[in-house]
Amino acid sequence: MTTVLTRTTTGIGHERRDGEGCGTAARRGRRTAAAAVVTGIVMFAAARLPSGPGNLVNLLQTFLPWLGLSVPLLLVLAAVRRAPAAAVAALVPAVTWCFLFGGLLTDKRADGGDMTMVSQNVHDANPDPRGTARALAASGAELLALQELTSRTAPAYEKALADTYPYHAVRGTVGLWSTYPLRDPEPVAIMPWTRALRATVATPKGPLAVYVAHLASVRVSLAGGFATERRNEAATKLAEAVRAEPLPRVVVAGDFNGTPDDTSLRPLTGRLRSAQRTAGQGFGLTWPAAFPVARIDQILVRGATPTASSTLPRTGSDHLPVAASLRL
């Protein structure tokens, strides 16, 4: 039996054996398929893991939904490399993403509700606090929770909101404005300086405990990783206050400097219902306002039912406002 070895010309001065290019394409296809499987595993594991070295897991959790962009990229690579196995493997991160976040895409908003609450970090350097106040009042909300107030801007909000909201309380850098009477507004000690308050709102449906909070900021650096220690400590103290709250109906609103996917915030978020996840549509991203990539501003409830949740149009702040209609 005679074996015939053929050579195929691939260009001037170059030759390759038949099947050599197919082997290279197959290897590339296997790499793409492996990348797809690893992406799916990372996505699934990251949603459940506690903080690790440098809190990098928490940083990944903050932007976890964006890993879904890997799916079309993997499909393009599979098509370019003509690798059907890689295209099939791309189903792993696609299915994982749908399992984790697919439910957020459905529209769960409904009509009705006994009251509406709006919350916003209004930004300490807001160039137009009066304009921001007017925009928030135009929402028709019965309650406004504002964070990052300063000695310069707080009087501007008080003056601009006085006609619409006859009751208000400012403690430190946070404030609550209400169309209903407020009782016993007091600071909540979550940090060395006042960045949280609690008040009882006398609604027509009965008393409602409202907490307004601005958790500590986070930083990312090469030396320290994702610095969340002060934020996590503040979240734990706020969770303890909410756990001890005697009223059955509670709303916690504010800038958490973290998303509901961040497992370090579970002591707080795990005990409350997210208005956006329960009665919103989409991710409701809030920061930065110019191009939101994360939802770090929350309205959470206990003993009340969210009927609708959304973000509101941009104001003079670097955060978008969030709104929630609640049935008490």
Side-chain angles (χ1 to χ4, degrees), residues 264-309:
S264 290
L265 296 180
R266 292 285 168 82
L268 177 62
T269 59
R271 294 178 174 274
L272 302 162
R273 298 174 68 191
S274 164
Q276 179 65 23
R277 293 198 171 210
T278 303
Q281 180 183 28
F283 294 95
L285 307 177
T286 63
W287 178 87
F291 186 82
V293 297
R295 183 182 178 88
I296 63 175
D297 302 275
Q298 319 292 342
I299 296 178
L300 309 177
V301 302
R302 185 184 76 195
T305 303
T307 57
S309 179

Side-chain angles (χ1 to χ4, degrees), residues 20 64 106 137 153 167 217 238 249 262 307:
E20 184 179 341
L64 192 58
T106 61
T153 61
Y167 309 98
S217 299
L238 182 59
R249 292 181 294 194
D262 192 326
T307 57

Side-chain angles (χ1 to χ4, degrees), residues 72-254:
L73 176 61
L74 290 165
L75 289 174
V76 168
L77 289 174
V80 169
R81 294 174 176 178
R82 298 179 182 179
V88 173
L91 291 174
V92 175
V95 171
T96 303
W97 191 93
C98 290
F99 173 76
L100 294 174
F101 305 113
L104 295 176
L105 302 183
T106 61
D107 190 352
K108 297 174 286 296
R109 295 171 296 180
D111 295 331
D114 299 308
M115 54 160 280
T116 298
M117 182 172 200
V118 167
S119 177
Q120 185 179 29
N121 177 326
V122 291
H123 192 26
D124 57 0
N126 191 321
D128 184 19
R130 291 185 180 181
T132 296
R134 288 192 294 268
L136 297 178
S139 69
E142 285 81 6
L143 296 178
L144 296 182
L146 306 186
Q147 308 91 52
E148 215 164 280
L149 300 171
T150 68
S151 58
R152 176 187 67 86
T153 61
Y157 288 104
E158 290 172 336
K159 184 176 180 179
L161 296 171
D163 291 340
T164 308
Y165 299 92
Y167 309 98
H168 84 281
V170 175
R171 298 292 185 271
T173 62
V174 297
L176 178 63
W177 276 258
S178 175
T179 60
Y180 306 130
L182 299 180
R183 297 199 303 265
D184 306 321
E186 58 185 6
V188 180
I190 64 171
M191 296 176 63
W193 52 95
T194 302
R195 286 176 48 145
L197 69 78
R198 181 237 179 250
T200 299
V201 180
T203 78
K205 295 285 187 176
L208 173 71
V210 175
Y211 291 78
V212 183
H214 184 189
L215 302 187
S217 299
V218 296
R219 297 288 185 270
V220 181
S221 66
L222 293 177
F226 190 39
T228 63
E229 286 76 14
R230 289 198 304 170
R231 184 208 63 181
N232 297 348
E233 182 181 355
T236 299
K237 290 181 177 179
L238 182 59
E240 291 170 353
V242 173
R243 188 183 309 119
E245 172 59 51
L247 291 181
R249 292 181 294 194
V250 180
V251 177
V252 181

